[in-house]
Amino acid sequence: MGRRTVAGLREAHDRVLAGEDDARVSAQIAASWRRAVAQGIDPERQRPRRFREVDDTVRLRTEHPLAPYIPVVTGLLGDSSISDDHLVVVTDVSGEVLWRIGSADALRVAESIEFVEGANWSEGGIGTNAISQCLVTGTPVDLVGGQHLVHSHHGWLCSAAPITDPGTGDMVAVLDVSAPVGLEPVAAGALVRTAARLIEEMMRGDALRRRAQSQPALRAVAQIAVSLLGSRPNVRVGGVVHDLTPRRADILALLTSREQGWSADELAGALYGDRGVPSSVRAEVHRLREVLGPRLDSSPYRLGGDGVSVDVWSVRRALAAGDLTRALERYAGPLLPGSGSLEVALLRAELHETLRGAVLRSGDPGLLARWVDGGGADDMAALEALVAVLPVGGLASSLYAARLARLDATLR
């Protein structure tokens, strides 16, 4: 990336933080900056928050599932042929730095910005960077120069990729390569993504070997995760993802809403109205049972049993416990936004408005910022509430006030 481009990113950074628009800054990066600033991150003087001291981190990382694969990471990415001054970093899913691999010079330069074991490189710990964005999006991320929120990071290029557990699909770590601006971003990103996928394949192979050596494990029923929030409803059984047809997604949404279950007649009426016949429902449920197995009961139809997780249930439980942070983390979007079922639409509105109301009542700037940068992007009431609780004249207040003004002008 040329010097002119890097300088342009720094200029765009300053303009956006001043409340202006700049096409060189993506909506995703700008939203991340706003969230971080709302949580108290200072672009001028920020140092990462610390989870624990280095010695404690060194002891704890021995229990991390990636520990056996760190020699592989070193062999793949620690080679000086990539560059003389790049740094390889592995964090856990909270953003805590667990491992650093690099030359003595690279480690020393990283220490100048506290890119060290035990430091928190999540969005709330140090602002926008490749690691934090990877944690937020769950996808590989490349960031360079002024795309970072904190000014002291503007001389760096960072490429990060998630590493997921092949058995559950859950993220277990983030793999990052960082270097002073100059290393080609495309090359760095490709190396990180390739290394992450190779480690996942090694983890998958090791898990299969362990299962083959354990007869009880072979008899165990696979874990099932049902995802109905957002635009891609699916069921994950073990490591296999089954996309849901619109009608089967509607059926599962209804099953998650009633503990006592549904009869075929009730489901037919809810899904098809007066035209509904139980035989249509039974055919769809039969297809679902091919995926869900005994976790889908009949007479009445009911979803449950050990080893079943549903994202809708996770949000509801978090709301019931008053844990709004967890509720927002689990809320990937509206319930089946493409469904034309009136019953599903009512469930969708109920969950959305319950979460929205709880966030508004909380008055918490971090929660409000997360809401308006996610599912409540056009929520003027939430924007007004956020601006009201932020320090008057502060950077975060100015950013969200400018956004509120633009939305107000658009809606007039």
Side-chain angles (χ1 to χ4, degrees):
M1 181 169 288
R3 293 181 179 178
R4 185 172 300 175
T5 303
V6 172
L9 284 174
R10 291 175 178 170
E11 176 189 341
H13 173 281
D14 294 340
R15 287 189 61 194
V16 171
L17 287 183
E20 302 178 37
D21 290 326
D22 195 299
R24 291 169 291 186
V25 178
S26 70
Q28 180 176 301
I29 293 296
S32 175
W33 289 353
R34 289 192 295 268
R35 290 194 300 269
V37 169
Q39 294 178 75
I41 302 300
D42 184 350
E44 298 289 343
R45 294 181 294 277
Q46 184 68 31
R47 294 287 185 176
R49 294 165 183 167
R50 299 291 291 252
F51 282 117
R52 52 182 62 86
E53 293 305 312
V54 174
D55 289 346
D56 293 331
T57 300
V58 171
R59 285 193 296 271
L60 289 171
R61 70 188 184 187
T62 59
E63 303 172 1
H64 193 274
L66 224 64
Y69 305 98
I70 294 304
V72 179
V73 174
T74 302
L76 289 171
L77 298 175
D79 191 340
S80 61
S81 63
I82 297 175
S83 76
D84 293 328
D85 49 10
H86 77 285
L87 185 73
V88 182
V89 170
V90 178
T91 79
D92 65 10
V93 293
S94 67
E96 177 178 3
V97 176
L98 297 181
W99 287 275
R100 297 188 307 150
I101 302 159
S103 67
D105 286 343
L107 293 172
R108 188 163 45 251
V109 172
E111 286 170 2
S112 69
I113 57 171
E114 295 188 28
F115 204 3
V116 297
E117 292 86 347
N120 178 358
W121 278 68
S122 67
E123 192 174 80
I126 188 58
T128 308
N129 60 87
I131 293 169
S132 74
Q133 286 299 97
C134 186
L135 291 170
V136 169
T137 65
T139 61
V141 175
D142 302 315
L143 253 68
V144 62
Q147 290 177 315
H148 296 84
L149 174 64
V150 176
H151 285 149
S152 60
H153 303 168
H154 284 190
W156 288 76
L157 175 150
C158 304
S159 294
I163 296 177
T164 59
D165 183 326
T168 65
D170 294 332
M171 189 189 305
V172 296
V174 172
L175 178 62
D176 172 86
V177 168
S178 294
V181 171
L183 183 65
E184 178 58 42
V186 175
L191 285 169
V192 172
R193 290 189 285 275
T194 299
R197 299 296 78 76
L198 178 59
I199 291 167
E200 288 175 346
E201 286 306 311
M202 295 178 68
M203 294 172 70
R204 188 190 309 277
D206 289 344
L208 289 173
R209 281 188 288 275
R210 288 192 295 271
R211 290 183 63 189
Q213 295 167 1
S214 171
Q215 289 304 312
L218 286 174
R219 293 195 296 269
V221 180
Q223 298 291 304
I224 292 178
V226 180
S227 299
L228 300 173
L229 299 176
S231 58
R232 188 195 169 192
N234 62 76
V235 175
R236 182 186 294 274
V237 182
V240 180
V241 175
H242 303 266
D243 288 328
L244 293 168
T245 65
R247 187 56 70 203
R248 291 167 201 164
D250 284 344
I251 290 172
L252 283 180
L254 293 175
L255 293 181
T256 66
S257 71
R258 188 188 291 181
E259 188 174 346
Q260 69 269 28
W262 294 68
S263 68
D265 286 330
E266 289 174 325
L267 283 176
L271 295 172
Y272 303 102
D274 294 338
R275 299 178 292 104
V277 292
S279 59
S280 298
V281 169
R282 293 191 185 101
E284 295 288 2
V285 172
H286 174 73
R287 296 301 184 191
L288 281 171
R289 191 174 281 115
E290 291 178 350
V291 176
L292 295 167
R295 272 67 174 269
L296 180 51
D297 292 335
S298 57
S299 301
Y301 295 130
R302 183 167 43 214
L303 180 65
D306 293 337
V308 177
S309 65
V310 183
D311 53 2
V312 177
W313 289 347
S314 296
V315 174
R316 288 175 182 155
R317 282 195 293 266
L319 283 168
D323 188 348
L324 293 184
T325 298
R326 185 174 181 82
L328 287 169
E329 287 174 353
R330 294 293 184 267
Y331 189 68
L335 173 65
L336 301 182
S339 173
S341 164
L342 175 59
E343 293 284 348
V344 172
L346 292 172
L347 293 173
R348 180 192 310 133
E350 177 187 19
L351 185 63
H352 186 87
E353 290 304 320
T354 300
L355 179 57
R356 174 181 181 269
V359 171
L360 286 173
R361 288 191 297 274
S362 75
D364 183 285
L367 297 176
L368 286 164
R370 191 158 192 163
W371 175 256
V372 300
D373 285 323
D378 297 328
D379 191 334
M380 288 193 64
L383 272 168
E384 290 170 348
L386 176 57
V387 171
V389 297
L390 290 171
V392 176
L395 177 57
S397 177
S398 300
L399 289 171
Y400 284 104
R403 182 172 166 187
L404 176 61
R406 288 194 296 271
L407 179 60
D408 183 46
T410 301
L411 295 177
R412 283 181 180 175

